[in-house]
Amino acid sequence: MPLRVTFVAAARSSPLLAERFEDDRPLDQAGWGEVERAAQELLPLAAAELRYCSPTPRSRATGEGLGYAPLVQLALRDCGMGRWRGLTLGEAMAREPEAVDAWLADPRATPHGGESLVDFITRVGGWLDTRPVDDGCRVVAVAEPSVIRAALVYALKAPPSTYWNIDVRPLSTTSVTGRGGRWNLRFDGVSAQPSRA
């Protein structure tokens, strides 16, 4: 049986347009409410043999709030954004429009002085590839949506530009199965049973 890694997106600490690069704000009251409402559905993931989280306050709080008692993994940190850290995309665009355009167009660009998108995807993929490969091992990782997007691009061997086309909602789950270098995206849910006439 292959390794199964289920990513749980951290609860949001701000509206989408107020999201900041390398956001280190804690969960707000609305975020805690989201965690409480999702806890019953997501609690079964606490049975995973290994439970991890990104180092951000909201990822740690989400994992704790869901009863996972996760271990912080530095490799699951958000993309290093250099001098844009703490800014919204709109703020960065207002200050350095050409640099933001270059960053969005070229996955190897680092106009902010931080980490390129390619390096970020490679770092997160390296973490994924080094998970224990014991048969049947289940892993849960609470992470920032950006980290989950990077993991999916890596797992699917998709072009880095695919990163911009993946939406990850707060407290959503996404699973990949396989082992180092060979991953499959897995969709779980209730399958419709054919009705008998």
Side-chain angles (χ1 to χ4, degrees), residues 7-79:
F7 291 98
V8 177
R12 188 172 290 148
S13 59
S14 64
L16 183 60
L17 292 178
E19 293 260 333
R20 299 186 175 277
F21 294 125
E22 292 188 85
D23 195 347
D24 60 0
R25 292 176 292 171
L27 283 183
D28 60 13
Q29 187 173 0
W32 278 111
E34 290 175 0
V35 171
E36 288 174 5
R37 286 187 295 278
Q40 184 174 357
E41 183 180 343
L42 297 176
L43 184 60
L45 292 173
E49 287 86 4
L50 299 169
R51 297 172 306 280
Y52 301 115
C53 69
S54 294
T56 61
R58 70 182 182 179
S59 292
R60 291 192 321 257
T62 299
E64 291 294 337
L66 294 173
Y68 298 168
L71 297 172
V72 172
Q73 299 286 285
L74 292 178
L76 295 179
R77 69 190 178 281
D78 212 344
C79 186

Side-chain angles (χ1 to χ4, degrees), residues 136-148:
C137 185
R138 293 170 300 155
V139 176
V140 65
V142 179
E144 295 300 313
S146 60
V147 172
I148 298 170

Side-chain angles (χ1 to χ4, degrees), residues 114-148:
E115 188 174 27
S116 74
L117 182 60
V118 168
D119 290 341
F120 174 49
I121 291 167
T122 301
R123 169 172 48 85
V124 173
W127 176 87
L128 188 60
D129 281 348
T130 57
R131 294 310 87 210
V133 293
D134 297 334
D135 282 349
C137 185
R138 293 170 300 155
V139 176
V140 65
V142 179
E144 295 300 313
S146 60
V147 172
I148 298 170

